[in-house]
Amino acid sequence: MSSGTPVYVTRSVLPSFEEYERHIEKLFESRCLTNHGELERQLTLEIRNYLEVPAITLAANGTLALQLAIRALALNGKKVITTPFTYVATVTSLLWEGCEPVFADIDDASCCIDPEKVAALADADPEIAGILPVHVYGNACDVRSLELIAEKHGLKILYDAAHAFGSELDGKSLFSFGDAAAGSFHATKLFHTIEGGCVASSPQIAETVRLLGAFGHLNDDYLLAGINAKMCELHAAMGLSLLPMVPDIIRSRKRICDIYDEELAPAFAACLRKPLLASGLSWNCAFYPVIADSAERLDRIIAALEKEDIHPRRYFGKSMTELPYLKGQSCPIAESLSRRVACLPLWADMPDALARRIAGIINSNLA
Ligand SMILES: *Cc1c(COP(=O)(O)O)cnc(C)c1O
């Protein structure tokens, strides 16, 4: 029996209405609603301070943030190594920038791109110009090994850090690694501006990103063929309202993760595992992924939960090597994993009892 409302993989976090109203009230006086307004500028500073990176450029969404960064790093039109185990936006961003994605399979334990596979591809093909790894689930890629490969071959590294807001490696935000990192502030992410994104980079690259995202002109000087990727004031206001809540959001999510860890002990002993987190990582608890030992086992668990109107998500249920418009490459580890992984429901103010109930359903449907 289900008990009322359906349960999805996440619920968007919101500030109090009064807090949001406090920020947007000013707009009704100033009537400056977009074009790098006061709230957008303030949020830029606050996110830069929170992440402790040299520069932040806000964008209308995470996909455009990726595309702007690809161009600012002059990777457009080039061959770029990326991971097959990600959300489709990583790959479509490359395609929209005319890049040729070259897939390096993942490390089975961490679910992030395998540096040995990256090195082999870079050694074999002098046309490779960059690497676009993803900090999957807020876990950290092997940033040191990737740096060495990039140095050896003169490659740019752009991290897709859409899951990484609030994750730190050895005390440094994951946004501080690589030549640039692109973030997503979509409503389903841990911190959000409803729709939104950012690029973290050096101040020089930030200048290009900002110019590209605002039509490529500065007053009457038409410098680059840009696009409109600006974040408007209503979105920035949501970010300003939520940013101070981020430490609490991460703490609350961790509490739910701890409950899952404890309650799912029988499942972990039998047939489930979790991705192995990087050592030195202070994890943001962006997702609660579980990996089953077989596709059939995962199918049974998901069916049992769905019978109770609980809907985990298959993140990521398809390896990017299997996209119908991108055939011809194969990454067996990602292809196998994508059939055996799902993310359990997780949000900041999720009731403890719900996490216990979900774990109980899983434990009693292992066989
Ligand atoms: C959410 C997400 C994106 C896209 O971000 P949007 O803000 O939704 O455009 C890109 N890459 C990954 C890995 C994501 O999870």
Side-chain angles (χ1 to χ4, degrees):
M1 277 291 290
S2 77
S3 47
T5 45
V7 174
Y8 297 107
V9 72
T10 197
R11 290 186 79 196
S12 294
V13 63
L14 281 173
S16 71
F17 182 72
E18 290 72 28
E19 176 64 11
Y20 185 62
E21 190 182 37
R22 191 170 71 80
H23 288 287
I24 63 168
E25 208 162 28
K26 301 171 198 160
L27 306 177
F28 285 75
E29 309 231 320
S30 69
R31 301 205 187 179
C32 294
L33 304 179
T34 186
N35 286 0
H36 306 298
E38 191 187 327
L39 301 183
E40 192 257 14
R41 293 199 305 271
Q42 192 186 336
L43 184 62
T44 302
L45 280 178
E46 290 191 13
I47 289 179
R48 200 195 67 189
N49 291 341
Y50 175 78
L51 296 175
E52 298 183 70
V53 291
I56 281 287
T57 314
L58 296 178
N61 58 62
T63 305
L64 277 167
L66 277 166
Q67 290 182 227
L68 294 172
I70 289 167
R71 281 207 181 208
L73 296 175
L75 290 174
N76 47 314
K78 309 264 179 67
K79 280 192 189 175
V80 176
I81 296 172
T82 192
T83 173
F85 191 68
T86 183
Y87 183 57
V88 71
T90 313
V91 175
T92 57
S93 301
L94 287 170
L95 295 174
W96 274 63
E97 294 306 328
C99 300
E100 187 184 320
V102 179
F103 294 110
D105 210 343
I106 53 171
D107 170 61
D108 191 49
S110 70
C111 303
C112 291
I113 201 165
D114 182 342
E116 282 183 25
K117 309 262 169 54
V118 175
L121 290 168
D123 283 339
D125 188 347
E127 284 179 17
I128 301 284
I131 315 172
L132 174 40
V134 182
H135 297 300
V136 182
Y137 305 131
N139 194 6
C141 294
D142 183 347
V143 293
R144 310 285 172 218
S145 302
L146 292 170
E147 249 162 50
L148 291 175
I149 298 163
E151 237 165 67
K152 179 176 170 196
H153 294 280
L155 311 179
K156 297 277 169 55
I157 304 181
L158 164 59
Y159 282 102
D160 181 336
H163 300 175
F165 201 85
S167 269
E168 292 182 351
L169 186 65
D170 300 324
K172 284 174 71 182
S173 162
L174 289 185
F175 279 80
S176 58
F177 296 95
D179 295 282
S184 165
F185 304 147
H186 184 258
T188 54
K189 306 294 207 265
L190 180 152
F191 162 76
H192 73 87
T193 59
I194 308 174
E195 291 274 2
C198 76
V199 178
S201 67
S202 68
Q204 295 95 302
I205 289 167
E207 218 171 281
T208 310
V209 170
R210 181 180 157 99
L211 186 60
L212 283 169
F215 308 102
H217 78 92
L218 271 178
N219 303 317
D220 287 337
D221 294 326
Y222 292 80
L223 303 163
L224 294 169
I227 197 167
N228 180 5
K230 291 178 269 96
M231 177 183 283
C232 88
E233 292 290 273
L234 286 168
H235 292 112
M238 182 57 74
L240 288 169
S241 307
L242 285 175
L243 190 60
M245 294 167 61
V246 166
D248 277 340
I249 292 170
I250 293 176
R251 257 192 300 278
S252 307
R253 298 176 75 99
K254 179 160 192 321
R255 220 172 51 116
I256 299 295
C257 289
D258 288 345
I259 292 173
Y260 275 139
D261 282 352
E262 201 180 308
E263 300 280 323
L264 284 171
F268 289 130
C271 56
L272 290 189
R273 68 177 166 99
K274 298 193 299 173
L276 181 67
L277 298 179
S279 76
L281 183 77
S282 165
W283 184 46
N284 62 359
C285 302
F287 294 90
Y288 195 91
V290 292
I291 303 164
D293 58 349
S294 74
E296 295 70 31
R297 181 107 59 192
L298 182 72
D299 293 348
R300 274 202 298 278
I301 289 171
I302 290 182
L305 289 168
E306 291 198 326
K307 227 166 46 187
E308 305 280 330
D309 218 1
I310 295 165
H311 307 274
R313 266 304 286 271
R314 290 176 186 269
Y315 280 141
F316 300 98
K318 195 183 261 305
S319 164
M320 296 295 109
T321 49
E322 297 175 309
L323 289 173
Y325 46 86
L326 258 191
K327 288 266 169 75
Q329 300 183 58
S330 141
C331 289
I333 298 173
E335 284 152 24
S336 164
L337 194 74
S338 64
R339 293 178 183 90
R340 294 182 287 115
V341 67
C343 289
L344 301 185
L346 172 62
W347 60 91
D349 54 353
M350 177 170 167
D352 295 3
L354 178 56
R356 292 208 172 86
R357 190 170 141 238
I358 290 169
I361 296 168
I362 294 173
N363 288 332
S364 41
N365 285 277
L366 299 175

